[in-house]
Amino acid sequence: MAQAQLLPRDLELPLDLRLPRVGSVDAVALEARAGELAKRSIKKGSKLAALDLAIRMMDLTTLEGADTPGKVSALCAKAMHPDPADPTIPSVAAVCVYPNLVAVAKSRLAGSGVRVASVATAFPSGQSPIDVKLADVREAVALGADEIDMVIDRGAFLSGRYAKLIDEIVRVKEACGSAHLKVILETGELGTYDNVRRASLLAIAAGANFIKTSTGKVTPAATLPVTLCMLEVIRDVHDETGRMIGMKPAGGIRTAKQAIQYLCVLNETLGTAWMTPELFRFGASSLLNDVLMQIRKQRTGSYQSGDYFTID
Amino acid sequence: MSRIAVRKTYKLYIGGKFPRSESGRTYEAEGQNVARASRKDARDAVQAARGAFPKWAGATPYNRGQVLYRLAEMMETRAADLSRSCSGRREVERAIDRVVWYAGWADKLPQVLGGSNPVAGPYFNFTAPEPTGVVAVLAPELPPLEGLVSRIAPVIVSGNTAVVVTSETRPLAALELAEAIATSDLPDGVVNLLTGYRSELGPILAAHMDVNAIDVTGAGGETTELEILAADNVKRVIRAGSEQSPWEISAFLESKTVWHPVGV
């Protein structure tokens, strides 16, 4: 298994703020706690509130080679009015697309309050020269992206070139300007929870607004334990420095039940201050329909069918 | 040395597996503790049936017929056990014969129920029968085995998948049949068997938006409530006759009609 090296002793983190020590993660306890929190039963009014929040926290995503302006337009319509028959359903937080489709999404979402997120920095592998990555980011921002989802260079991380990693994130952050920066760690390729914790800290030290689990192109993508691990980093950073970093699990979250489990873990780890789209997002494509079906199930009392919800 | 026989725990049959009720409940029937299926078991069963539908509907009719013959074979080898769970050997034989009879219809439905239609225009117009989807079946109370088989066979032979609420007072025949189904080549999820209270499970299945038809044969005379619930997604509500007939199959079919230009 790929194993990152220890942090070199003389490594200087670019922030003057003191960060929590990297330490190591108790994998067994972490998985046990995530498993325990996943068993919480959320019912009735609380469930409806959680589902409503899950929609408001969603980054509705399409990242396919086959994406067309038409498909993105349809996705934007769904992002603004997830259930056209029910005006009480809120809009999602953002639409997440490739840079080429940012302009389409931007024009479709104008005035709706739904933000446009774009992946950048040679997504999904991140294996391109830094100048290419920076150009990618600048281009996406120029086209109107409000948020940038960058990928870290896992090759650099796993071979212990942390300085390169940090330097890239810092420069991407500069290139973002006022756009929010989410840093994708691709935890499925990092191998261990220790690595996830270390990469999270490096990303936060370099200026990430959000840390994000996965691109969605690698299995395993987001899991509950890995999300808990990253939330604990965010908690430690907040305790140490007061900075509030956002979290975005992405990939593999397909059911309302899973979404509620993530919200439970979030609430138990970081508390209600983080229960907002400003600090927590779901990266998902098929989750929205299941949440809509669950909401209608709660309201009507009968189980729903995918036949009556839009295909995206 | 004497040994203690392993006693059977009567469970549900969902998606090819034998789970206990999610609720942990049981009720007593025929002197046995039998799983009492809950709302969530019904949901899981519909999910399993929906998942199994595309592959089963997409199998060739010949293949579906062969699989039903195979089910008849498995029932034959379990005839002794099945006899003990119903009125006896004669009922088992009638049930097996019924499966074979419906199996034979698998590849004959399009000839009888479909066809080419005369139209006043340069079109070749033809109609083909297609399965409806997920069918909920409230099986008759009696006879426990023959009644059940007579309702399942015409539903699945055309490619539908079934969620069946078994006889409430005599559920053991269905659970014995589940053993035969599990060892036949019926794909997991094509037949799902729920034991429990019909008054509890019927309305849930009737209201379920992902169920396309409901067979209320076993619901007794009063089905108004079920029919109202079924109206939400315009489910077919079917009340069966007692005889075997191709019309029992066609009740769960939809007709697809295609207009194809000729001479172009």
Side-chain angles (χ1 to χ4, degrees), chain A residues 142-305:
Chain A
L143 286 165
D146 306 303
E147 304 174 354
I148 295 292
D149 289 26
M150 73 167 287
V151 288
I152 63 166
D153 183 344
R154 278 87 74 193
F157 177 81
L158 292 170
S159 54
R161 287 174 287 148
Y162 300 129
K164 177 174 192 289
L165 189 82
I166 289 180
D167 183 51
E168 279 195 1
I169 300 174
V170 169
R171 294 178 69 182
V172 168
K173 174 76 180 160
E174 282 166 15
C176 281
S178 62
H180 259 229
L181 178 64
K182 305 188 200 118
V183 178
I184 304 173
L185 307 180
E186 194 62 295
T187 53
E189 291 182 343
L190 296 185
T192 64
Y193 294 121
D194 282 0
N195 282 352
V196 171
R197 184 175 168 87
R198 184 172 300 137
S200 303
L201 276 168
L202 291 171
I204 293 169
N209 297 112
F210 264 72
I211 49 177
K212 173 174 167 183
T213 57
S214 324
T215 59
K217 306 289 181 196
V218 167
T219 313
T223 65
L224 216 45
V226 112
T227 304
L228 176 58
C229 176
M230 291 165 71
L231 288 172
E232 286 180 345
V233 174
I234 293 172
R235 180 194 63 197
D236 295 348
V237 168
H238 180 253
D239 287 351
E240 199 80 22
T241 70
R243 278 177 70 191
M244 291 174 89
I245 307 297
M247 171 73 201
K248 177 175 171 184
I253 306 170
R254 296 195 182 83
T255 63
K257 190 175 180 177
Q258 283 175 300
I260 291 176
Q261 290 171 347
Y262 279 91
L263 289 177
C264 281
V265 169
L266 173 67
N267 191 36
E268 292 299 321
T269 314
L270 292 170
T272 46
W274 260 265
M275 302 287 276
T276 153
E278 301 306 313
L279 287 168
F280 193 84
R281 297 282 179 83
F282 289 107
S285 45
S286 54
L287 172 63
L288 181 54
N289 266 4
D290 196 60
V291 172
L292 293 176
M293 280 163 68
Q294 288 304 317
I295 290 176
R296 206 177 285 177
K297 153 75 180 62
Q298 286 294 315
R299 290 190 182 157
T300 63
S302 46
Y303 289 113
Q304 298 298 310
S305 163

Side-chain angles (χ1 to χ4, degrees), chain B residues 158-241:
Chain B
S158 63
N160 295 302
T161 53
V163 175
V164 186
V165 180
T166 67
S167 170
E168 188 172 313
T169 51
R170 301 288 304 276
L172 298 194
L175 298 172
E176 203 56 58
L177 180 70
E179 305 288 345
I181 294 173
T183 46
S184 74
D185 287 338
L186 266 181
D188 296 345
V190 171
V191 174
N192 305 278
L193 300 170
L194 301 173
T195 54
Y197 297 165
R198 177 170 298 132
S199 58
E200 183 185 0
L201 298 168
I204 294 162
L205 291 170
H208 199 308
M209 297 293 280
D210 214 16
V211 172
N212 303 107
I214 183 165
D215 179 338
V216 295
T217 307
E222 189 47 60
T223 56
T224 315
E225 191 212 351
L226 294 176
E227 288 179 50
I228 291 170
L229 290 171
D232 239 0
N233 70 336
V234 208
K235 271 182 204 66
R236 289 162 177 237
V237 180
I238 310 293
R239 220 172 268 93

Side-chain angles (χ1 to χ4, degrees), chain A residues 52-71:
Chain A
D52 184 87
L53 182 60
I55 294 179
R56 287 190 287 118
M57 285 176 163
M58 209 173 294
D59 281 7
L60 200 55
T61 304
T62 181
L63 296 168
E64 303 293 332
D67 284 349
T68 57
K71 186 179 172 194

